[in-house]
Amino acid sequence: MLRLSKLTDYGMVVMAALADAEDDTRNAADLATSTGVAPPTVRKLLKRLNRGGLVNSARGARGGYRLARPAEDISIADVIAALEGPVSLTECAAHDGLCSMESVCRLRGHWRVINDAIRGALADVSVADMNRPAPNMPLQPAPGIASRLGS
Amino acid sequence: MLRLSKLTDYGMVVMAALADAEDDTRNAADLATSTGVAPPTVRKLLKRLNRGGLVNSARGARGGYRLARPAEDISIADVIAALEGPVSLTECAAHDGLCSMESVCRLRGHWRVINDAIRGALADVSVADMNRPAPNMPLQPAPGIASRLGS
DNA sequence: CCTATTTAGGACTGAAATGGTCCGGTATCC
DNA sequence: GGATACCGGACCATTTCAGTCCTAAATAGG
């Protein structure tokens, strides 16, 4: 698996929809109909995205949301971080001292490297990238992390 | 987040322990004490790893487990796949037809690319790599996926 | 052949996370 | 002032996850 939560998946859809209306302010109900995601869920997403600083909100009649920055400057990693916290494949990659085996675990340092590589890859893709017409063919796997693991 | 399950985390520890005793057969209880993971959990892990074809098992007295292949030939992606199914960041990256928006979703193709890039990166790191002394310094993020996303 | 050892398979349970909903409050526009 | 729309939070049902246990089957050794 190694799956993103559904919320994050929907969150990307909402962000893409916001990127479409670059400068217009769009309200939650509007976004719900245009994305097909349930209205309460959209509201929840927008709240978190707002707190994460990815969108700006305007209250009151004719209020709504818009991207806080150009879509080019918002990465997938940003969206993930706003919705479910920073990327960290393992517990130990995120926090110190939680694992009792920490001091003797050879794996930990390696996980860190892998973790950062993946985060870096996700940070490299913007919402604007996601909003272009999709490629129809697969891709080459990303080049070597392994070479960076040796001591 | 984007976190691996704890089982997978422990699974890597167990695989690393098996890689240490390259040719010896080790039983579940033994691995439990040397890794610090609870015995029933170790048994569960080994069963799944066996079914995934990553370890060979021998029943009966003096039985136990050993790696099915050299540690160099077993990747992290293999371990993840054996323990929690193949890497797939989003539902739609794995199966067709589950998402009602599928036909109109511009994001889907992009997720596939990202997904495969991450899988490729994980496939590039072997259990043997993980078993070396850990690096003490961070890393460079993985190089660009973004360039491969354009249509 | 008999027994001790050790894996195979599956059922089961308690806890946690997840997805989704709703409500009272506040700010803004007309 | 009234309608609109976001804000913050609480809340619940469902699913998933981690972890345990039990019975059956296979092997080694005496």
Side-chain angles (χ1 to χ4, degrees):
Chain A
M1 304 253 274
L2 190 64
R3 179 152 307 175
L4 294 170
S5 75
K6 256 187 204 171
L7 263 306
T8 304
D9 194 353
Y10 295 158
M12 277 303 307
V13 174
V14 170
M15 288 295 284
L18 277 172
D20 268 339
E22 189 100 20
D23 285 328
D24 290 353
T25 295
R26 307 193 60 187
N27 66 34
D30 186 10
L31 288 166
T33 51
S34 72
T35 59
V37 179
T41 303
V42 172
R43 265 180 264 134
K44 183 180 208 165
L45 287 168
L46 288 167
K47 284 180 217 173
R48 291 198 198 174
L49 291 168
N50 182 40
R51 248 201 268 181
L54 300 188
V55 304
N56 290 332
S57 67
R59 291 204 197 181
R62 309 220 29 191
Y65 296 87
R66 69 172 64 189
L67 296 184
R69 300 174 252 152
E72 290 78 22
D73 296 345
I74 303 178
S75 74
I76 298 186
D78 291 332
V79 177
I80 294 175
L83 294 177
E84 45 179 289
V87 172
S88 67
L89 292 192
T90 59
E91 194 79 36
C92 67
H95 315 291
D96 294 313
L98 287 183
C99 172
S100 56
M101 299 273 119
E102 205 161 88
S103 54
V104 290
C105 181
R106 272 165 311 181
L107 274 51
R108 189 167 182 235
H110 295 303
W111 278 127
R112 280 226 149 107
V113 175
I114 295 167
N115 200 53
D116 286 359
I118 288 180
R119 176 173 28 231
L122 292 171
D124 203 45
V125 180
S126 73
V127 171
D129 291 328
M130 295 293 278
N131 223 11
R132 297 186 224 288
N136 28 17
M137 23 124 314
L139 46 86
Q140 307 296 9
I145 295 178
S147 57
R148 267 172 282 146
L149 286 182
S151 76
Chain B
M1 303 253 273
L2 189 64
R3 179 153 306 175
L4 295 170
S5 76
K6 257 188 203 171
L7 263 307
T8 304
D9 194 353
Y10 295 158
M12 278 301 308
V13 175
V14 170
M15 289 295 284
L18 277 172
D20 268 339
E22 189 99 21
D23 284 328
D24 289 354
T25 296
R26 305 193 61 186
N27 66 33
D30 186 9
L31 288 166
T33 52
S34 73
T35 59
V37 180
T41 303
V42 172
R43 265 181 263 135
K44 183 178 207 168
L45 288 167
L46 288 167
K47 284 180 218 174
R48 291 199 199 174
L49 291 168
N50 181 40
R51 254 202 263 182
L54 301 188
V55 303
N56 290 331
S57 67
R59 290 202 197 181
R62 308 221 30 191
Y65 296 89
R66 69 174 60 190
L67 296 184
R69 299 173 252 152
E72 290 78 24
D73 297 344
I74 302 177
S75 74
I76 298 187
D78 291 332
V79 177
I80 294 175
L83 293 177
E84 46 178 291
V87 172
S88 68
L89 291 192
T90 60
E91 194 80 35
C92 66
H95 316 289
D96 294 313
L98 287 182
C99 172
S100 57
M101 298 275 120
E102 206 161 89
S103 55
V104 291
C105 181
R106 272 165 310 182
L107 274 52
R108 190 167 181 232
H110 295 303
W111 278 126
R112 282 224 147 109
V113 176
I114 295 167
N115 200 52
D116 287 358
I118 288 181
R119 176 175 26 231
L122 292 171
D124 204 46
V125 181
S126 72
V127 171
D129 291 328
M130 294 294 277
N131 223 10
R132 297 186 224 287
N136 29 17
M137 25 125 310
L139 46 82
Q140 307 296 9
I145 295 179
S147 57
R148 268 171 282 145
L149 286 183
S151 78

